[in-house]
Amino acid sequence: MTQIPTQHVARLIAMERRAQTIAEAGGLEAALAGGTLPNPIDTTLAEGLVLGLLKQGVRKYLAVFGHGSTDLAEVLRVYEAAGLTRTYNFRHETAMAHAATALKWHYGETAAVVTSIGPGALHAFAGSLAAASNGIGVYHIYGDETTHGEGPNMQAIPKHAQGLFGQLTALMGESYVLHTPEALRAALRRGSLAVHRSFRAGPFFLLLPLNTQPARIARLNLEALPGPLAPPPMAVGDPAIVAAALGLIQTHRRIVVKVGGGARAFARQVRALIEAIGAVAVLSPGALGVVPDDHPRNMGVMGSKGSLSGNYATSHADLLIVIGSRGVCQADCSGTGYASASAVININADLGDVTHYNRTVALPGDIGVVIGQLREALQRQGGVDLERAEAWLDATAAKKREWQALKAERYAHPVLPDPMWGRPVLTQPAAIKIACDFANSIRAVKFFDAGDVQAVGFQVAEDDEPTQTITETGASHMGFAVSALLASGVADRPQYGIAFSGDGSFFMNPQVLVDGVLHGARGTILLLDNRRMAAISGLQEAQYGEAFRTHDAVPVDYGRLASAVPGVKALSGGDTPDALWVALTEASRHQGLSLVHVPVYYGPDPLGGLGAYGVWNVGNWCEDVQASYHSQII
């Protein structure tokens, strides 16, 4: 028979009254300002945390509860009943972490991920890599071992050492172990800055020991808990540095602007700068749409799986301007992409990133503000002579036409005979092109999963705005795209999405089918099936001539698998462009989650892929790539 401690009954009554008072006042700040909510209060760490996060605008919790989070769950139950928070339960912590990342990345809503102690926390921790790599602010709240040291806690890290989960999470982002309940204010101040800042945000890990969650905090001052902290936009304070950058722009003839994911919020400013200085743009995969695909100065993506035109522009430019980019290996050709550049201008708010290259004029600050400073300085000096860049613009435009012709040839041959399938099937470039066009026709957001689907996807996608595609290239986390669709069931203003996923990526998080139905997600999983990790098979074949243990011969009936979940619509995408378009249309009319299965070609025919045009420091290429890297001056 369940026996609830007497003190919990009293605590529950007080908590319910507080929650109702806040709800009736229209929010925590209003209740405090109006005097209807007494302050300070006697409460527990768990309730204080929920109130503190409420003050920061965090109202949504994505949870897999366990014995390490029951007290926090009880607080969330009460506050949800009052209409102040909403908790969404999931079946796997990694998928849940991805959904929270997508919720912030695409919809701008900061959520908290809640897990128990042990393996569940480690699953969510693995998923937090996507948020950390892409600068997405999310709260991660994990249970932790008790603080009285009474013996090993079940599911704790089995080692005789203190605070191991706090040490582990501190490696991924910023972390705080709430060993002392009264430290809540300090923890929330640090957390607020980590998740709410406009540049290089990331996951913030709050570790809640099992016994401190229900521990009492006497006279908690709610007024003292921090709201959403975000530093104001920063400008370059030294005019001489801006003048030095302007001097480089005026004296170089072949300027390339590398646009990174940090520039997604500054599309207008980036486009204006490129046009004003006679430069061409190349994109990181995470910056698709910052410059429209059909803009004559946009050379496309550069990198080991970039474009002909993007890699041509970077290798021939004499001045590199970097905006909001970390210089990630594949997207930077492992540092070898700028063979002809003699100088760099770097715009970034992160001091490590803004000084990444040699011979750099570093312009640290807010991208929009700093670009404004540069353009004002240009205007004061009468602009730049755009005729000096005429030959450069002609050469890069010709290379872009070559790239477009190569893609058009692939699209003109959308079906190839495949020995594994025993029949002609769609190529991956053709299938992705059809689905991208369809997504744009219905204004759906495109989520790309890791692997060959992702690589071909950012070669194919033709975006006009940076909100059209989310591609998790920072960590290349398999299973991200299908999990990201779940955010549509959580968001205040959901948008229909299409998750472009390979068969291997889908099987990393197939439980999203159930979670999608549970939370009312709407979207399509486009499952491109070649029964292999095609990106790695291709890499093995390019480097060593043979693929090894990156493919299988196990047929899976994905239609039957998806149909086993009531509410999921399963469709065959067929083997022709028309059949795929019809299937996507039918899927989009379904008021829920759909899965469209498409067999795709894998093989040696060059028409089956878009090729690779850059280099990468992996495998038996390392010696040559490293020699090239150390021969460059930037």
Side-chain angles (χ1 to χ4, degrees), residues 81 83 88 97 153 160 208 241 247-248 263 292 313 323 331 343-344 366 497 534 578 605:
Y88 303 82
N153 284 184
H160 293 294
L208 297 185
I241 300 299
L248 291 176
I323 303 178
V344 180
D366 177 87
D578 289 344
D605 193 323

Side-chain angles (χ1 to χ4, degrees), residues 221-237:
N221 185 354
L222 298 176
E223 294 278 12
L225 296 180
L229 304 175
M234 296 175 289
V236 178

Side-chain angles (χ1 to χ4, degrees), residues 31 54 56 85 95 103 123 216 264 445 506 512 517 523 561 604 609:
L54 197 62
Q56 293 185 24
T85 63
L103 184 66
H123 286 316
R216 180 173 176 267
R264 286 172 59 92
V445 59
F506 170 74
V512 299
V517 173
L561 187 154

Side-chain angles (χ1 to χ4, degrees), residues 186-448:
L188 287 174
R189 183 184 296 117
R190 296 185 189 182
S192 184
L193 186 60
V195 304
H196 296 302
R197 62 175 175 248
S198 60
F199 67 94
R200 191 55 75 80
F204 186 82
F205 301 92
L206 278 168
L207 281 296
L208 297 185
L210 280 71
N211 62 317
T212 65
Q213 293 178 46
R216 180 173 176 267
I217 303 179
R219 298 185 62 78
L220 174 65
N221 185 354
L222 298 176
E223 294 278 12
L225 296 180
L229 304 175
M234 296 175 289
V236 178
D238 186 352
I241 300 299
V242 177
L246 183 57
L248 291 176
I249 291 171
Q250 292 173 325
T251 56
H252 286 78
R253 295 176 177 272
R254 304 188 308 276
I255 304 174
V256 66
V257 178
K258 173 63 181 292
V259 183
R264 286 172 59 92
F266 307 99
R268 177 179 55 80
Q269 295 94 325
V270 170
R271 297 172 194 177
L273 179 65
I274 291 166
E275 292 166 355
I277 63 176
V280 297
V282 297
L283 310 179
S284 293
L288 295 176
V290 173
V291 181
D293 182 79
D294 62 357
H295 194 293
R297 305 281 185 87
N298 181 3
M299 297 297 110
V301 174
M302 72 159 289
S304 63
K305 284 288 286 186
S307 64
L308 272 173
S309 45
N311 283 291
Y312 173 85
T314 53
S315 63
H316 288 80
D318 57 6
L319 174 64
L320 167 65
I321 301 178
V322 186
I323 303 178
S325 175
R326 293 187 297 145
V328 174
C329 60
Q330 280 183 282
D332 211 38
C333 292
S334 294
T336 70
Y338 313 103
S340 303
S342 59
V344 180
I345 298 169
N346 204 326
I347 303 173
N348 202 306
D350 185 277
L351 291 179
D353 293 336
V354 81
T355 55
H356 176 72
Y357 302 95
N358 294 329
R359 299 197 176 193
T360 292
V361 173
L363 301 177
D366 177 87
I367 289 171
V369 173
V370 174
I371 290 178
Q373 288 183 281
L374 265 180
R375 293 191 62 213
E376 288 176 10
L378 280 169
Q379 290 170 358
R380 285 195 298 271
Q381 295 196 16
V384 299
D385 179 13
L386 295 180
E387 289 187 2
R388 83 200 194 293
E390 187 174 340
W392 172 238
L393 297 180
D394 288 345
T396 52
K399 190 58 68 171
K400 182 174 182 178
R401 289 192 295 272
E402 184 181 341
W403 171 240
Q404 290 171 327
L406 184 148
K407 291 198 294 183
E409 183 184 22
R410 269 54 172 179
Y411 303 151
H413 299 84
V415 176
L416 292 175
D418 186 282
M420 185 192 71
W421 292 106
R423 65 182 191 272
V425 296
L426 285 165
T427 67
Q428 198 143 256
I432 291 175
K433 167 65 172 171
I434 293 161
C436 284
D437 288 347
F438 178 82
N440 292 340
S441 75
I442 64 169
R443 301 184 66 80
V445 59
K446 305 183 291 293
F447 296 101
F448 280 96

Side-chain angles (χ1 to χ4, degrees), residues 12-190:
L12 177 61
I13 292 171
M15 189 161 54
E16 288 175 337
R17 286 174 178 167
R18 262 191 295 272
Q20 191 60 40
T21 298
I22 295 169
E24 290 173 355
L28 177 58
E29 296 281 14
L32 289 171
T36 57
L37 181 67
N39 187 51
I41 64 172
D42 290 342
T43 185
T44 63
L45 173 59
E47 186 185 10
L49 174 60
V50 171
L51 287 167
L53 291 179
L54 197 62
K55 200 170 183 181
Q56 293 185 24
V58 179
R59 294 173 173 81
K60 295 179 181 179
Y61 293 79
L62 284 58
V64 177
F65 292 124
H67 79 273
S69 50
T70 58
D71 198 77
L72 178 59
E74 172 66 358
V75 177
L76 292 174
R77 181 188 68 80
V78 170
Y79 275 75
E80 181 165 323
L84 294 170
T85 63
R86 176 72 188 275
T87 300
Y88 303 82
N89 53 303
F90 286 77
R91 280 160 182 75
H92 196 277
E93 294 88 354
T94 302
M96 175 174 75
H98 289 331
T101 299
L103 184 66
K104 180 64 173 287
W105 195 344
H106 186 63
Y107 296 105
E109 299 183 40
T110 304
V113 171
V114 179
T115 78
S116 186
I117 190 173
L122 290 176
H123 286 316
F125 181 64
S128 74
L129 180 60
S133 297
N134 294 281
I136 310 300
V138 181
Y139 272 104
H140 278 243
I141 304 172
Y142 303 161
D144 202 357
E145 57 189 311
T146 58
T147 63
H148 283 212
E150 73 278 15
N153 284 184
M154 182 172 63
Q155 297 183 347
I157 295 174
K159 180 181 178 181
H160 293 294
Q162 186 182 35
L164 293 177
F165 267 99
Q167 295 177 44
L168 182 68
T169 52
L171 294 172
M172 184 73 77
E174 297 183 53
S175 179
Y176 203 104
V177 180
L178 278 162
H179 188 285
T180 303
E182 288 78 8
L184 177 63
R185 175 166 59 170
L188 287 174
R189 183 184 296 117
R190 296 185 189 182

